[in-house]
Amino acid sequence: MRSLLMITFTLFFSQIVAFPAFSQALEESDPLQYADIVDLSSEAPIIVNVVIKDAIKIDPERAPNAPAGTQRFYIIASTSALIRGQGGVGETIRYVIDLPLDGRGRAPKIEKKPFIIFARRPSGGSIDDVQLVAKDAQIAWTPSREQRVRSVVRELVARDAPPAISKIASAFHVPGTILGEGETQIFLETDTGTPISITVLTRDGQRKFWAVSLGEIVDEAARAPVRNSLLWYRLACFLPRQLPAPALAGDTLANAQRARNDYQTVLDDLGSCPRSRQP
């Protein structure tokens, strides 16, 4: 058993991420935001509900790269539910984690407790071996957290899921026939090549209206995204805080300023992208 563990430890030491945090937030005051869950889920081809069967402490000399103030553990857990699983998972799952020590130098007790883990398969690992995708990719399980994670995963794997935004390609403003009216169009490039466009309409005496279209054609039935949806996340969490100058090349100074103002309206309506963790 000891020699088997040493071999497995060596495999995981080459794959370990820096500092998987320990979270046991109460369900009624969960600090995890929608963006936190999408950040973790979008990076994890394997998302599993687990119950910790055994947390084997690894001697510090065998974990020289463990962050200060942590204890490295080799985890053996049983899988209680599969939320997302490319390639499938076995009844038992194994991974390495660094847990923070308290003021007395003790790690939290996690045996027999349920968690949700966000993971990937390490190169050369067996079906039972996984690597956490982030330093805090083990979160305490609660019914509401599982429901939220499942909802996010459904959005991510949907055929019409909005892709990640890579940059703003171009933007321009067209004045209307009546003073004060006009239309701004902003075209976004994405990781998949699927275009996204934002249209902002200004009508005399009316509040500005803006909408998002997915695809080559501007959809007249499009609307602004609902907060805490995947499209909202793509925009609110990743759009730059101002239009880049190259995107406005060729427009007049007056029209470029109108486009900037309309873009600010979009940002204001989207609101901030709150997170409780670093993505």
Side-chain angles (χ1 to χ4, degrees):
M1 177 66 177
R2 183 179 178 89
S3 60
L4 175 61
L5 288 179
M6 290 180 64
I7 294 173
T8 309
F9 293 161
T10 302
L11 169 65
F12 277 95
F13 290 165
S14 64
Q15 302 289 337
I16 188 74
V17 291
F19 179 10
F22 176 77
S23 172
Q24 282 193 319
L26 295 177
E27 183 174 347
E28 61 270 20
S29 58
D30 194 341
L32 281 179
Q33 302 292 315
Y34 176 85
D36 295 324
I37 294 176
V38 182
D39 290 339
L40 289 168
S41 300
S42 61
E43 296 295 324
I46 298 171
I47 305 175
V48 190
N49 290 354
V50 302
V51 176
I52 306 300
K53 294 169 61 177
D54 202 358
I56 304 169
K57 185 181 296 186
I58 300 174
D59 293 337
E61 58 268 23
R62 293 181 180 171
N65 60 339
T70 70
Q71 171 64 56
R72 181 163 294 176
F73 288 88
Y74 176 69
I75 302 298
I76 302 174
S78 59
T79 58
S80 56
L82 180 64
I83 298 175
R84 185 180 190 182
Q86 296 179 12
V89 295
E91 294 182 359
T92 298
I93 203 165
R94 302 186 294 260
Y95 55 95
V96 168
I97 189 170
D98 295 326
L99 296 180
L101 303 176
D102 62 17
R104 299 181 180 179
R106 297 181 301 188
K109 300 295 185 181
I110 61 174
E111 289 89 347
K112 300 182 180 180
K113 293 183 179 179
F115 293 88
I116 303 172
I117 64 168
F118 302 80
R120 61 172 65 93
R121 192 97 52 208
S123 177
S126 74
I127 193 172
D128 294 334
D129 296 327
V130 298
Q131 174 196 0
L132 299 180
V133 301
K135 63 183 181 180
D136 49 0
Q138 173 180 283
I139 64 174
W141 177 91
T142 67
S144 66
R145 278 187 174 179
E146 179 176 349
Q147 183 179 13
R148 294 170 68 197
V149 171
R150 288 185 180 277
S151 177
V152 164
V153 170
R154 283 194 295 269
E155 290 185 281
L156 287 169
V157 302
R159 293 182 59 187
D160 58 350
I165 294 168
S166 54
K167 72 173 187 176
I168 296 178
S170 62
F172 62 87
H173 178 79
V174 178
T177 56
I178 300 176
L179 183 64
E181 294 189 348
E183 177 178 332
T184 293
Q185 289 196 331
I186 304 165
F187 296 94
L188 313 177
E189 292 184 4
T190 66
D191 289 353
T192 63
T194 301
I196 296 179
S197 61
I198 300 173
T199 302
V200 185
L201 295 175
T202 304
R203 294 291 180 261
D204 188 34
Q206 299 181 18
R207 186 179 184 275
K208 288 181 180 180
F209 170 85
W210 69 276
V212 184
S213 297
L214 304 178
E216 298 285 350
I217 301 174
V218 175
D219 185 359
E220 294 183 357
R223 294 291 182 269
V226 176
R227 186 174 180 84
N228 287 351
S229 64
L230 186 56
L231 181 54
W232 170 85
Y233 165 86
R234 298 297 193 203
L235 299 174
C237 302
F238 297 99
L239 282 178
R241 293 301 91 189
Q242 60 184 10
L243 283 176
L248 295 165
D251 217 349
T252 67
L253 292 177
N255 286 344
Q257 187 56 50
R258 289 290 300 275
R260 293 189 186 95
N261 294 341
D262 288 345
Y263 182 70
Q264 187 60 51
T265 296
V266 172
L267 295 182
D268 291 343
D269 283 355
L270 286 169
S272 64
C273 174
R275 285 183 169 102
S276 64
R277 57 180 294 277
Q278 290 296 319

